[in-house]
Amino acid sequence: LLGPAIRLVMLVREPISRAKSHFEYFRTKRFRSSANFSEALALSLTEFESCAQSLGGWDYQCTYRPGRARVAAAAASVEGRHAVRPRRSAMEYELIQPALYVEHMRTWSVYFDPRSLLVLDAAALINDPDTVLASFESHMGIPRFRYTRINKHALPPSARETQGQSADAIRQSSGFEAQVELTGGYAKRHDLPRLLEERACAFLQPFKVRLLKQTGITWTSCSRVARRA
């Protein structure tokens, strides 16, 4: 199963919009203690930032919760106090952890040949499906297939993240600042307080840089923050 012929495919999405989608999907099951997405995201960031701060900078062991727990316990021992463990029901970390794509790639490289992994951008799959699917077929070693485009949304309006609004309609709808991710004619809002947005972008930036170097994939989601700074 783990031989050299194995093929892996990883589909990545802009991290903040991925976190918002994750929050909305599991809102009533995992994030009841958070009043809203902003509060949940802030809690998630705190868990990762605290781990990095304890080590004097980001380290791979902060990627997964068991590693973060060990770091917290070690820091508490040095300071002569008991480590405060996150409640098992506190799942806010899920908003950030899955989007640390390069760290997960590092994990998988221990078990798989890095050449076995194809990383695809979810936005590119929507905007340019023919090119992305051609890459997928080549990676899998399967014949090219001629796909038929369906010029309608596959999901009912109630199930869509944007409730079927076009990107232009969302841009013009309310006039207040919103972070917009364009995906094939649709847009995703993740309205965040300015300082929280800047905090999230600052934390995620090093991972985005590494992902760009390794895969060529990047997003412009934090460009507004960079220009404003």
Side-chain angles (χ1 to χ4, degrees):
L1 177 63
L2 305 183
I6 193 169
R7 288 292 177 264
L8 306 173
V9 179
M10 179 182 186
L11 188 66
V12 299
R13 181 177 180 180
E14 189 281 316
I16 298 178
S17 62
R18 194 220 70 81
K20 180 62 181 292
S21 178
H22 190 108
F23 176 83
E24 294 293 346
Y25 188 81
F26 290 108
R27 178 71 179 92
T28 59
K29 294 182 179 179
R30 301 186 183 182
F31 307 120
R32 291 182 179 179
S33 60
S34 295
N36 50 46
F37 174 57
S38 294
E39 182 177 309
L41 182 63
L43 289 171
S44 184
L45 285 167
T46 295
E47 183 169 333
F48 289 89
E49 291 168 339
S50 297
C51 182
Q53 184 176 7
S54 296
L55 296 173
W58 178 261
D59 187 87
Y60 171 76
Q61 61 186 309
C62 293
T63 304
Y64 304 104
R65 179 163 270 189
R68 296 194 294 276
R70 288 192 294 270
V71 170
S77 177
V78 169
E79 297 171 5
R81 59 178 175 81
H82 292 290
V84 178
R85 291 180 173 271
R87 304 187 318 276
R88 294 189 66 179
S89 60
M91 308 295 285
E92 283 81 7
Y93 75 91
E94 292 184 348
L95 300 181
I96 293 294
Q97 182 171 297
L100 303 180
Y101 304 121
V102 289
E103 299 294 30
H104 302 309
M105 292 164 63
R106 176 178 174 180
T107 300
W108 299 333
S109 69
V110 175
Y111 306 99
F112 305 101
D113 185 329
R115 294 170 296 181
S116 298
L117 176 64
L118 173 66
V119 183
L120 300 175
D121 179 14
L125 180 60
I126 295 174
N127 292 321
D128 188 12
D130 292 331
T131 299
V132 174
L133 289 170
S135 297
F136 168 78
E137 291 163 343
S138 175
H139 181 69
M140 299 299 294
I142 59 178
R144 288 298 311 276
F145 184 80
R146 294 187 62 183
Y147 299 91
T148 301
R149 294 284 188 93
I150 301 175
N151 294 320
K152 63 179 181 179
H153 208 294
L155 296 175
S158 60
R160 302 175 198 171
E161 292 182 353
T162 56
Q163 287 76 51
Q165 297 182 69
S166 70
D168 288 338
I170 288 181
R171 287 194 190 98
Q172 299 169 6
S173 61
S174 62
F176 61 86
E177 291 186 357
Q179 182 72 30
V180 176
E181 175 199 14
L182 297 181
T183 52
Y186 287 83
K188 177 60 185 170
R189 262 200 168 120
H190 25 266
D191 308 312
L192 295 175
R194 174 177 173 176
L195 292 179
L196 178 58
E197 183 181 1
E198 292 175 350
R199 179 184 171 191
C201 286
F203 175 80
L204 292 165
Q205 182 61 22
F207 303 100
K208 291 175 63 178
V209 170
R210 291 166 57 194
L211 184 68
L212 174 62
K213 290 181 178 179
Q214 295 184 41
T215 68
I217 295 174
T218 190
W219 302 281
T220 60
S221 57
C222 288
S223 59
R224 179 170 63 88
V225 175
R227 288 195 302 270
R228 189 168 57 204

